[in-house]
Amino acid sequence: MKEKIITIKIEGALPGQWSSLLLELNLMKRAWKSYGVDVELKAHSIKRIIQQGTFNGENIKKNRRSRK
């Protein structure tokens, strides 16, 4: 299949709105992957936003010192 490219220009979005948009697109990317569709997202700080937005707390290292 031929590669298709779409460009979305966002103007005036607040940082929270921008993060939400990127997280929603990432959810779509994950859902479509099971149907054989490969979606590539490119945006400023997208890796950090997706990493923080999909964090579920399971990967926290326990670095607490015991108080005895």
Side-chain angles (χ1 to χ4, degrees):
M1 273 192 173
K2 186 176 179 182
E3 180 180 293
K4 295 168 178 54
I5 297 174
I6 183 170
T7 303
I8 302 173
K9 293 185 179 186
I10 307 295
E11 196 173 312
L14 298 173
Q17 293 171 319
W18 177 246
S19 295
S20 293
L21 175 65
L22 293 180
L23 291 169
E24 291 287 339
L25 290 171
N26 188 55
L27 287 174
M28 181 200 70
K29 172 185 174 177
R30 288 182 175 187
W32 286 18
K33 190 168 191 148
S34 64
Y35 296 103
V37 178
D38 184 29
V39 177
E40 180 183 351
L41 301 174
K42 293 181 182 180
H44 178 71
S45 300
I46 192 166
K47 288 181 182 179
R48 181 184 53 82
I49 291 168
I50 291 175
Q51 182 180 16
Q52 289 178 350
T54 57
F55 180 73
N56 60 10
E58 292 178 4
N59 299 327
I60 296 176
K61 291 183 180 180
K62 295 183 179 180
N63 291 331
R64 297 182 182 174
R65 296 180 182 176
S66 61
R67 297 181 181 181
K68 291 184 179 181

